[in-house]
Amino acid sequence: MKKNIAVILGDGIGPEVTQQSIKVLDAIAQQYKHEFTYTYALMGADAIDKTGSPLPDETLSTCLASDAILFGAIGHPKYDNDPAAKVRPEQGLLKLRKSLQLFANIRPITTYPALQHLSPLKAKNLEGVDFVIYRELTSGIYFGKKNLSDDKTTASDDCVYTASEIERIAHLAFKHAQKRRKKLTLVDKANVLETSRLWRKVVQEIAPQYSDVTVDYMFVDNASMQIIINPKQFDVILTENMFGDIISDEASVLSGSLGLAPSASVGSGVALFEPIHGSYPQAAGKDIANPIGSILSAAMMLDHFGLNEEARLVTDAVQWMLQHGFVTKDIDPINSYATTAIGDLVKDFIENKL
Amino acid sequence: MKKNIAVILGDGIGPEVTQQSIKVLDAIAQQYKHEFTYTYALMGADAIDKTGSPLPDETLSTCLASDAILFGAIGHPKYDNDPAAKVRPEQGLLKLRKSLQLFANIRPITTYPALQHLSPLKAKNLEGVDFVIYRELTSGIYFGKKNLSDDKTTASDDCVYTASEIERIAHLAFKHAQKRRKKLTLVDKANVLETSRLWRKVVQEIAPQYSDVTVDYMFVDNASMQIIINPKQFDVILTENMFGDIISDEASVLSGSLGLAPSASVGSGVALFEPIHGSYPQAAGKDIANPIGSILSAAMMLDHFGLNEEARLVTDAVQWMLQHGFVTKDIDPINSYATTAIGDLVKDFIENKL
Ligand SMILES: [Mg+2]
Ligand SMILES: [Mg+2]
């Protein structure tokens, strides 16, 4: 299989973690006789420094011409601490998501027996936890009409959803559930919100097309409890933008390390893959950052290409690494391995040298 | 001190848990020479059965004429399972809150060393956790204008806040922080929402009046993580209606038992005190329900009356009970005590007989 991958190294630790993913993708290509080519593009603080824009036109056209985008991280404190800054690194990512119509943010929540000691939850609450959250990313209250009255004493935010916005992400979530444990949970607040009632109606209408998938409905306040007390009940969670923002961040702490968590943002065209962690500028260039979040994002990209066996080999490699204590400093401050060493070991595992 | 207390026993386990609180309040009255009189009123399924209305006019006038309301629980499955039911028990509580303008819902989050084994969190994450959440209860997206387009394909919910709605609850939260560890955290999404920016502005304007209180600001998605990974950082959390719904339910699972958690809903007039648990009809009449949520709600009522020493004696009694294993079946299925036995023991502790 031939694939053109746009690579955006981005800011902070973005470059060094993404380079490990490329090492891994190259090993996969070699092993399975695929051809992955990479086109590098600028975004974020790096792009502002070099071109003045957080998302240069060239980056957008590179991304549009690619089969997928592998992205590192965005953001630099020199822009955060300057309230007068007119261009901000994060604008690049927001504009890219919008231009590519990336309407679904996908976050797998996995826990690892070898890392149970890092989780805030007790081992018994973590056992068997493996679910994925589909968060709508382009609509809802974050994108609705905002208003502040002239006297500045009344503010409003409008939350709007259309049936077609719900349908397109619901189909993706149902399809994913079919490949997993065949359960979909819609998280909403249908007892109070009109938009939630529309979500429920659309999901109910689509459900018969996926008759092998069991659907249930859960209010968001209850979901925020269930994610802690009984997370293993979930398989695929589908939810609107703001609820997804809150519960996917909540769920991300279960594994014990944000450094491990990958994500995908998909739409009708090119999809983007990135670790959920930030640019962590304090660690940049020190060869200490955890590349697993990026490597697992690359595995999600392989799955997206339909290369499920290849993706599985990468996730198996990661499981093996964690089980055998090959981890970066954030996971084990005493016996730790460098970013590049972790990348090399994952590559060796794929090449059957371990 | 003389106080008239309106008592709404309500549905399911409501009556039996509330009766324990009255036992406790009577012991406090005796010990400190107060005079508490109780006027019983109907609400919920109980009121529908007896009068046809979930909130009879007489109940409302009894409540308005009282100094505080002690409430049990609401709801019965015979109404839940009947979608055709025109009157529903819960409407009683919503109407009462609205009539009394109860704009602030207050939920203390306490963890008990003796119950650490019940919590989903590890002991080290629970140590020293003691905070209180102020949730705005009468405005925001739950009460905003809702719309469904004629073709039923577009739905919307409007979130509106006025500066005065924010001010009145912010003052309560600041005052409470002054009596505690003097830290207030506003939970919002000010990077995205206009209403959140208004919350931030109003809180910033009020803050100088409470110069001994440290104020910080946290995005709701981050708060949903921090409540799990580092809950002891919080003292008083202030937030809008929907965020408060989500994070107060999330935080309620930390202690390991919903049966222990009290709440207060306050406004400019009469305040209402109730355990956060539901009516739990399966347990009704069996003398097995946990009365501690109600007893601690009664303690919040004492605090509300300014009877801080009395409130403290009740919470000390509860601490002692938990430490010595005097708990209901939900906490310890093997060595458990009856609802009435727990009430009697708290009374005995107050009367210095233990
Ligand atoms: Mg977030
Ligand atoms: Mg709730």
Side-chain angles (χ1 to χ4, degrees):
Chain A
M1 185 179 276
K2 281 189 183 192
K3 291 288 174 190
N4 293 312
I5 299 164
V7 177
I8 302 173
L9 298 172
D11 305 324
I13 59 169
E16 54 206 283
V17 298
T18 309
Q19 272 143 12
Q20 308 318 308
S21 292
I22 289 171
K23 218 180 257 179
V24 169
L25 287 170
D26 281 340
I28 288 287
Q30 177 97 34
Q31 208 68 5
Y32 288 87
K33 313 224 177 308
H34 300 307
E35 201 178 306
F36 297 151
T37 55
Y38 310 100
T39 314
Y40 289 79
L42 301 174
M43 189 167 77
D46 183 36
I48 299 175
D49 292 347
K50 289 173 183 159
T51 73
S53 158
L55 181 74
D57 291 343
E58 210 187 319
T59 296
L60 190 54
S61 53
T62 298
C63 289
L64 284 167
S66 71
D67 295 304
I69 305 158
L70 184 65
F71 167 55
I74 207 157
H76 193 282
K78 79 175 162 189
Y79 296 95
D80 292 343
N81 301 334
D82 178 8
K86 286 228 176 67
V87 284
R88 296 171 47 82
E90 291 77 7
Q91 292 167 345
L93 184 56
L94 292 177
K95 193 177 160 195
L96 182 63
R97 281 183 182 156
K98 203 181 162 138
S99 307
L100 299 175
Q101 276 270 36
L102 301 176
F103 57 78
N105 185 251
I106 307 168
R107 285 224 210 155
I109 307 294
T110 316
T111 56
Y112 302 94
L115 302 186
Q116 271 177 1
H117 62 288
L118 293 175
S119 173
L121 264 62
K122 288 176 180 158
K124 65 167 192 255
N125 292 72
L126 289 171
E127 221 172 282
V129 171
D130 174 21
F131 61 100
V132 54
I133 300 176
Y134 274 73
R135 165 190 171 190
E136 204 288 329
L137 204 55
T138 54
S139 190
I141 196 165
Y142 291 174
F143 292 92
K145 215 179 84 197
K146 286 155 201 347
N147 193 56
L148 183 64
S149 64
D150 291 340
D151 65 359
K152 297 186 173 20
T153 62
T154 304
S156 67
D157 296 283
D158 207 17
C159 179
V160 182
Y161 267 106
T162 66
S164 59
E165 285 169 341
I166 300 165
E167 268 162 32
R168 60 186 184 180
I169 185 171
H171 281 297
L172 294 181
F174 270 111
K175 286 192 177 103
H176 200 162
Q178 283 186 315
K179 291 192 205 147
R180 293 177 46 99
R181 299 196 311 277
K182 301 183 171 43
K183 182 178 167 188
L184 183 142
T185 304
L186 176 66
V187 169
D188 63 27
K189 189 74 183 179
N191 53 340
V192 189
L193 299 180
E194 198 65 43
T195 45
S196 286
R197 287 187 279 265
L198 184 61
W199 273 83
R200 229 173 241 221
K201 179 170 161 274
V202 170
V203 166
Q204 276 163 352
E205 281 167 5
I206 287 176
Q209 298 174 43
Y210 304 91
S211 55
D212 52 338
V213 176
T214 306
V215 183
D216 69 0
Y217 304 91
M218 190 179 278
F219 295 144
V220 61
D221 47 337
N222 186 25
S224 76
M225 298 197 277
Q226 297 300 324
I227 283 171
I228 306 175
I229 56 180
N230 184 18
K232 77 160 166 283
Q233 72 184 287
F234 297 115
D235 181 22
V236 175
I237 289 179
L238 169 64
T239 192
E240 62 97 64
N241 199 345
M242 190 177 65
F243 295 158
D245 186 14
I246 299 171
I247 66 167
S248 68
D249 280 345
E250 180 187 355
S252 70
V253 306
L254 297 187
S255 80
S257 167
L258 297 185
L260 302 170
S263 79
S265 297
V266 314
S268 22
V270 187
L272 180 142
F273 301 85
E274 59 174 318
I276 72 161
H277 63 66
S279 61
Y280 196 23
Q282 314 91 296
K286 295 185 182 161
D287 204 14
I288 56 169
N290 191 341
I292 299 295
S294 178
I295 290 170
L296 290 175
S297 300
M300 289 182 82
M301 184 166 77
L302 293 171
D303 257 330
H304 182 76
F305 291 155
L307 303 175
N308 306 115
E309 193 186 323
E310 290 84 337
R312 182 60 187 267
L313 183 54
V314 177
T315 56
D316 284 352
V318 168
Q319 290 275 8
W320 187 91
M321 301 279 293
L322 296 175
Q323 264 161 41
H324 292 81
F326 297 117
V327 294
T328 42
K329 222 174 103 170
D330 51 314
I331 305 286
D332 185 345
I334 312 293
N335 296 303
S336 68
Y337 290 75
T339 309
T340 45
I342 298 292
D344 290 341
L345 283 162
V346 173
K347 175 176 177 289
D348 289 348
F349 184 98
I350 289 164
E351 292 171 347
N352 236 321
K353 292 182 187 154
L354 290 180
Chain B
M1 187 180 274
K2 281 188 183 192
K3 290 289 175 189
N4 293 312
I5 300 164
V7 178
I8 301 173
L9 298 172
D11 304 325
I13 58 169
E16 55 208 274
V17 299
T18 309
Q19 272 142 13
Q20 309 318 307
S21 293
I22 289 172
K23 220 181 255 179
V24 169
L25 288 170
D26 280 339
I28 289 285
Q30 177 98 35
Q31 207 69 6
Y32 288 87
K33 313 225 178 308
H34 300 307
E35 201 179 308
F36 297 151
T37 55
Y38 311 100
T39 313
Y40 289 81
L42 301 173
M43 189 168 77
D46 184 34
I48 299 175
D49 292 346
K50 290 176 183 157
T51 73
S53 158
L55 182 73
D57 291 344
E58 210 187 319
T59 295
L60 190 54
S61 52
T62 298
C63 289
L64 284 167
S66 71
D67 294 303
I69 304 158
L70 185 65
F71 167 55
I74 207 158
H76 193 281
K78 80 175 163 189
Y79 296 96
D80 292 344
N81 300 333
D82 178 9
K86 285 226 177 70
V87 284
R88 294 171 49 81
E90 292 76 9
Q91 291 168 343
L93 184 56
L94 293 176
K95 194 178 160 196
L96 182 63
R97 281 183 182 155
K98 207 185 158 134
S99 307
L100 298 176
Q101 279 269 37
L102 301 176
F103 58 76
N105 186 250
I106 308 167
R107 286 226 211 153
I109 307 295
T110 315
T111 56
Y112 302 93
L115 302 185
Q116 272 177 1
H117 62 288
L118 294 176
S119 174
L121 265 63
K122 288 175 181 158
K124 65 168 191 253
N125 293 72
L126 289 172
E127 223 171 282
V129 171
D130 174 20
F131 61 100
V132 53
I133 301 176
Y134 274 73
R135 165 189 171 192
E136 203 288 328
L137 203 56
T138 54
S139 189
I141 196 167
Y142 291 173
F143 292 92
K145 217 179 83 195
K146 288 155 202 345
N147 193 54
L148 182 65
S149 64
D150 291 340
D151 66 359
K152 296 186 173 19
T153 63
T154 304
S156 68
D157 296 282
D158 206 17
C159 179
V160 183
Y161 266 106
T162 65
S164 59
E165 285 169 339
I166 301 165
E167 268 163 31
R168 60 186 185 180
I169 185 172
H171 281 296
L172 293 182
F174 269 112
K175 287 194 177 103
H176 201 163
Q178 284 186 315
K179 291 193 206 148
R180 293 177 47 99
R181 299 197 310 276
K182 300 182 172 42
K183 182 177 167 189
L184 184 142
T185 304
L186 177 67
V187 169
D188 63 26
K189 190 74 183 178
N191 53 341
V192 190
L193 300 181
E194 198 64 44
T195 45
S196 286
R197 288 187 279 266
L198 184 60
W199 272 83
R200 229 173 241 221
K201 181 171 159 272
V202 170
V203 166
Q204 276 164 352
E205 281 167 5
I206 287 176
Q209 299 174 41
Y210 305 91
S211 55
D212 52 339
V213 176
T214 306
V215 182
D216 69 359
Y217 304 90
M218 189 179 278
F219 295 145
V220 61
D221 47 339
N222 186 25
S224 77
M225 299 197 276
Q226 297 299 324
I227 283 172
I228 306 176
I229 56 180
N230 184 16
K232 77 159 166 282
Q233 72 185 287
F234 297 115
D235 181 22
V236 174
I237 289 179
L238 169 64
T239 191
E240 62 97 66
N241 199 346
M242 190 176 63
F243 295 158
D245 186 16
I246 299 171
I247 66 166
S248 68
D249 280 345
E250 179 188 356
S252 71
V253 306
L254 298 187
S255 79
S257 167
L258 297 186
L260 301 171
S263 79
S265 296
V266 313
S268 22
V270 186
L272 180 143
F273 301 85
E274 58 173 320
I276 72 162
H277 63 65
S279 60
Y280 196 24
Q282 313 92 293
K286 295 184 182 159
D287 205 14
I288 56 169
N290 192 339
I292 299 296
S294 177
I295 290 170
L296 289 175
S297 300
M300 290 183 82
M301 184 167 76
L302 294 171
D303 257 330
H304 183 76
F305 291 155
L307 304 176
N308 307 115
E309 193 187 323
E310 289 86 336
R312 183 59 187 268
L313 183 55
V314 176
T315 55
D316 283 352
V318 168
Q319 292 274 9
W320 187 90
M321 300 280 292
L322 297 174
Q323 264 161 39
H324 291 81
F326 297 118
V327 294
T328 42
K329 220 173 107 173
D330 51 313
I331 305 287
D332 185 346
I334 312 292
N335 295 304
S336 69
Y337 290 74
T339 309
T340 45
I342 298 291
D344 290 340
L345 283 162
V346 173
K347 175 176 176 289
D348 289 348
F349 184 97
I350 289 166
E351 292 172 348
N352 237 320
K353 292 183 187 151
L354 291 178

